[in-house]
Amino acid sequence: VEASFSEGEYDIVILSATESAALLTWLDTNGYAVSETAGELLQEYIDAGAYFFAAKVSLTALPEEATFLSPLQLRYSDPVFSLPVRLGTANAEDEQDLILFVMGDEGQTHISNYPQAEVEDECLFDEAAFESFGAFYDGRFVKALDDVGRDRASWVLEYAWDPGSCDPCSGEPLDTEVIEELGWVGDWGGATFTRLHLRYGPGAVDQDLVLYGSNIRDQEQGFRGLTIGGVTPPVGTMMFTT
């Protein structure tokens, strides 16, 4: 245990290890359910010099009126703009959805080591034909992934825009205070806010995501129902600033 502290309703520890068996033993002893089959994968991260961030919810610290857990926000520096998604599949039995909100100053954020899928958006939403817009969109999202192939994860660019504007808007655009709370440091003029969406099974990710600024500054808004301005990212998303 390199460090331990409490923040809000979370009890947090920072862990280091030299071999995965000891790390798995510690996690199991302390109530973290991680499959023993994750040992080989954990060892890869250990050999790469990774530290591990473990958070446990303290119910006694959770306000009685709370209906959602507070978001966890952490800051770290790394020369590689990457997300360790393989670790998130250690206990997965089915597909997972991952939504990334990324704000950077190098145009749209893309993923370099997985294929891009494109959702057909030149179509109209017929309320009489679908239970909801969510069902309507999900059908097209699944088709886009199927067209690329489901053996490997693929990603969809759902939104890319200036964080201070939108057209049309589902709410007020992000302002300086919100952008600073998200972790942005300094002037955000010329920045691009990108939303990426992935859905994959445990066997479809053989590498961690490698992201990059594409320097493509075109504004993209696939389906008007996905406007980001004024919308709080849902549970299960990750927000990055670069």
Side-chain angles (χ1 to χ4, degrees):
V1 175
E2 299 287 346
S4 61
F5 54 94
S6 295
E7 182 67 32
E9 65 266 35
Y10 298 101
D11 294 328
I12 296 168
V13 293
I14 308 298
L15 304 169
S16 63
T18 56
E19 51 90 18
S20 61
L23 178 58
L24 284 168
T25 297
W26 188 96
L27 291 170
D28 183 64
T29 301
N30 287 272
Y32 293 90
V34 182
S35 170
E36 292 183 1
T37 60
E40 183 177 347
L41 176 58
L42 288 172
Q43 190 63 51
E44 290 185 37
Y45 286 110
I46 292 170
D47 293 342
Y51 288 75
F52 299 87
F53 179 101
K56 185 180 295 185
V57 176
S58 173
L59 295 179
T60 58
L62 193 64
E64 291 184 5
E65 67 278 6
T67 55
F68 294 97
L69 295 176
S70 303
L72 281 167
Q73 184 175 25
L74 56 99
R75 183 187 303 274
Y76 69 96
S77 299
D78 195 295
V80 180
F81 187 19
S82 179
L83 181 66
V85 293
R86 291 182 301 157
L87 194 58
T89 66
N91 286 350
E93 297 180 358
D94 204 345
E95 290 186 327
Q96 299 174 319
D97 269 76
L98 176 64
I99 300 174
L100 303 177
F101 293 85
V102 189
M103 184 171 155
D105 57 7
E106 297 181 344
Q108 299 175 5
T109 298
H110 291 179
I111 297 172
S112 65
N113 56 337
Y114 286 93
Q116 181 179 3
E118 296 189 10
V119 174
E120 177 191 0
D121 62 358
E122 295 298 326
C123 49
L124 297 175
F125 170 47
D126 181 0
E127 292 187 49
F130 294 90
E131 179 181 348
S132 66
F133 178 81
F136 167 74
Y137 174 72
D138 191 66
R140 279 151 180 77
F141 178 70
V142 169
K143 182 180 184 304
L145 302 185
D146 288 342
D147 287 345
V148 173
R150 304 298 288 271
D151 292 339
R152 297 193 79 225
S154 57
W155 54 277
V156 170
L157 172 67
E158 291 185 333
Y159 183 91
W161 214 276
D162 174 349
S165 65
C166 47
D167 180 25
C169 294
S170 61
E172 292 298 322
L174 303 180
D175 58 26
T176 298
E177 181 179 357
V178 171
I179 289 173
E180 289 178 350
E181 287 178 355
L182 293 173
W184 187 267
V185 177
D187 180 22
W188 51 275
T192 299
F193 197 98
T194 305
R195 170 176 163 138
L196 304 174
H197 188 180
L198 300 91
R199 179 179 296 165
Y200 49 82
V205 283
D206 54 4
Q207 303 174 24
D208 290 333
L209 299 186
V210 178
L211 300 99
Y212 69 99
S214 68
N215 283 314
I216 298 173
R217 301 188 182 275
D218 296 346
Q219 296 177 331
E220 297 284 346
Q221 186 169 272
F223 288 106
R224 297 302 182 179
L226 294 177
T227 302
I228 298 301
V231 177
T232 302
V235 174
T237 67
M238 296 188 180
M239 170 68 201
F240 294 93
T241 57
T242 64

